[in-house]
Amino acid sequence: MRKDDECRAFVKKVIMSRFFKIIMISTVTSNGFFMALWTSYEIRYRLFRLLELSEIFFVSICTSELSMKLYVDPINYWKNGYNVLDVIVMIIMLLPYTVRELMGRQFSYVHIADGMQSLRILKLIGYSRGIRTLIIAVGQTVYTVASVLLLLFLLMYIFAILGFCLFGSADKGDHDNWGNLAAAFFTLFSLATVDGWTDLQKQLDNREFALSRAFTIIFILLASFIFLNMFVGVMIMHTEDSIKKFERELMLERQVTLMGEKQVILQRQQEEISRLMHIQENADCKSFSELVENFKKTLHHTDPMVLDDFGTSLPFIDIYFSTLDYQDTTVHKLQELYYEIVHVLGLMLEDLPQEKPQSLEKVEEK
């Protein structure tokens, strides 16, 4: 049992606040902007002091954030993957200073550590729910995408062997593009992405290979128009599912927030009723109803009121309106049925033999 629960609760409140998130997003974004300026040698020379101060400020903010989160919950902190990503980014952030201190400034691979500083921008993932949704969508497509890529690899393997046998002959073959299996794979990758495939086909045409055009067209149709589009379709489907799930979670959070506000209002009303009951005991009101009527006169139109009556609930109103729509539809259909019955009865009356008048019958007899 920790003895600093109040301090930890305060730090947690600060971390979860919207103001703290805005500070972190602004800090990471500004550091990314300064890193873009750092890539220019002229600007780096002119603004060296400003870039150095911005680096110290960024490292200090990130170190403070890590310390505060570890102080709030040092055990559950490591169970969140985005927190682990922040720790990795923090290690990468301190890597150039460590390499320069241990290996010296002239170490040949120190530029790799400097280039890895671009990963700092990944700290925005933890503060952007939309980006996390997309990452979840990509993670859900791993198995399906792996199956599609495996099929594409098998297709490229078949066509690589076939292309090597057709166009990589030792005497007059295209050794640069089809001379071995690795070169054939690279050429097929260019064909699959439809990047410079006309130049590759022109080289085959110059060597007068008979089946080269049929080979190229069939592979592009299979690899580019089928497998790559299938890959894109799988990504889009899973992304749409993740976005719908994200919208449902937002709706549930809003409902929970509304329910919390409703409970607060109900609690206030109960407290008001308890206060009225207490006032009734010391007031001259004859009954509680009279006291409530007097209380109503003091209400304003802006005072919040929660009505728990079933007839005033939104679900009941929705069902009531739907029932009225069904009732109108039923009445309309009944009217059409009545019209049809009347029409049929009218036709039946027309078909019945009509009775002649008695005067006409006497004239016919004479």
Side-chain angles (χ1 to χ4, degrees):
M1 185 66 181
R2 297 177 59 170
K3 299 181 179 179
D4 55 346
D5 290 337
E6 295 183 359
C7 181
R8 185 176 59 171
F10 174 75
V11 175
K12 183 177 181 179
K13 184 178 180 181
V14 172
I15 294 174
M16 299 301 295
S17 65
R18 184 179 180 85
F19 181 70
F20 183 82
K21 294 180 180 179
I22 293 175
I23 291 177
M24 292 304 303
I25 292 174
S26 302
T27 303
V28 176
T29 305
S30 60
N31 183 257
F33 174 74
F34 283 120
M35 284 195 65
L37 296 178
W38 176 81
T39 56
S40 174
Y41 288 102
E42 183 179 356
I43 296 177
R44 190 193 307 183
Y45 176 76
R46 292 182 178 180
L47 304 178
F48 175 77
R49 187 62 60 185
L50 177 62
L51 295 175
E52 189 177 21
L53 291 176
S54 67
E55 183 72 12
I56 295 173
F57 177 76
F58 179 74
V59 174
S60 302
I61 291 294
C62 292
T63 305
S64 302
E65 178 207 18
L66 178 63
S67 303
M68 293 169 69
K69 289 184 176 180
L70 287 174
Y71 172 74
V72 170
D73 197 349
I75 298 176
N76 293 327
Y77 176 83
W78 304 100
K79 297 180 181 180
N80 191 333
Y82 298 108
N83 292 335
V84 177
L85 177 63
D86 287 344
V87 174
I88 295 174
V89 171
M90 194 70 189
I91 294 174
I92 293 173
M93 191 188 309
L94 300 176
L95 191 60
Y97 307 102
T98 306
V99 171
R100 286 187 174 89
E101 287 294 331
L102 296 178
M103 302 297 180
R105 294 183 176 273
Q106 304 301 324
F107 185 62
S108 57
Y109 295 105
V110 70
H111 61 278
I112 299 177
D114 291 333
M116 293 175 64
Q117 299 307 306
S118 59
L119 298 176
R120 296 178 178 184
I121 202 70
L122 295 179
K123 286 185 66 67
L124 289 176
I125 296 176
Y127 295 98
S128 176
R129 196 168 182 177
I131 298 177
R132 295 200 301 269
T133 303
L134 294 178
I135 292 175
I136 293 173
V138 173
Q140 292 175 349
T141 61
V142 170
Y143 179 77
T144 308
V145 169
S147 302
V148 175
L149 293 178
L150 179 60
L151 289 175
L152 181 61
F153 173 78
L154 295 177
L155 178 69
M156 292 180 66
Y157 176 80
I158 295 171
F159 275 81
I161 298 295
L162 184 61
F164 170 76
C165 296
L166 293 175
F167 316 125
S169 58
D171 49 356
K172 59 175 182 179
D174 186 2
H175 297 162
D176 294 334
N177 298 319
W178 305 97
N180 52 59
L181 190 63
F185 261 103
F186 186 79
T187 303
L188 289 175
F189 181 79
S190 299
L191 292 177
T193 57
V194 200
D195 182 19
W197 71 274
T198 55
D199 296 333
L200 296 172
Q201 181 59 41
K202 189 178 295 184
Q203 295 178 15
L204 295 177
D205 290 339
N206 293 334
R207 290 177 170 82
E208 297 181 354
F209 288 112
L211 300 176
S212 63
R213 294 193 175 186
F215 177 90
T216 302
I217 291 173
I218 292 174
F219 180 78
I220 290 177
L221 286 175
L222 292 175
S224 180
F225 296 142
I226 295 179
F227 283 96
L228 293 183
N229 288 332
M230 187 186 303
F231 174 82
V232 175
V234 169
M235 295 294 296
I236 291 175
M237 289 174 56
H238 284 276
T239 302
E240 289 179 351
D241 294 338
S242 298
I243 291 174
K244 291 179 181 178
K245 183 179 178 181
F246 173 67
E247 291 176 352
R248 289 195 297 267
E249 290 177 354
L250 285 180
M251 187 178 297
L252 289 175
E253 289 182 358
R254 291 171 183 171
Q255 291 179 356
V256 170
T257 303
L258 291 176
M259 290 298 296
E261 294 177 355
K262 180 179 178 180
Q263 292 298 327
V264 171
I265 295 174
L266 286 174
Q267 185 177 0
R268 290 178 180 175
Q269 290 182 355
Q270 291 176 357
E271 293 176 354
E272 289 293 331
I273 292 175
S274 300
R275 186 177 62 84
L276 290 174
M277 293 291 293
H278 180 70
I279 294 174
Q280 182 188 12
E281 297 176 356
N282 302 324
D284 297 332
C285 298
K286 297 180 180 179
S287 63
F288 181 75
S289 300
E290 183 180 352
L291 186 63
V292 171
E293 292 296 330
N294 294 333
F295 174 72
K296 287 181 180 179
K297 297 178 182 178
T298 63
L299 294 177
H300 302 284
H301 67 281
T302 57
D303 292 337
M305 296 293 294
V306 177
L307 301 176
D308 285 338
D309 186 9
F310 177 73
T312 59
S313 62
L314 292 179
F316 172 80
I317 295 174
D318 188 17
I319 295 173
Y320 178 69
F321 284 144
S322 300
T323 306
L324 290 180
D325 293 336
Y326 291 140
Q327 184 178 356
D328 293 340
T329 304
T330 304
V331 171
H332 180 69
K333 291 181 179 179
L334 287 175
Q335 289 177 350
E336 292 180 350
L337 181 61
Y338 293 155
Y339 294 150
E340 292 180 0
I341 292 174
V342 171
H343 180 67
V344 172
L345 291 176
L347 294 177
M348 292 174 63
L349 290 174
E350 291 179 359
D351 294 338
L352 290 176
Q354 297 181 357
E355 295 182 357
K356 297 180 179 181
Q358 294 180 359
S359 59
L360 293 176
E361 290 179 356
K362 292 179 180 179
V363 171
E364 290 178 355
E365 289 178 355
K366 293 180 178 180

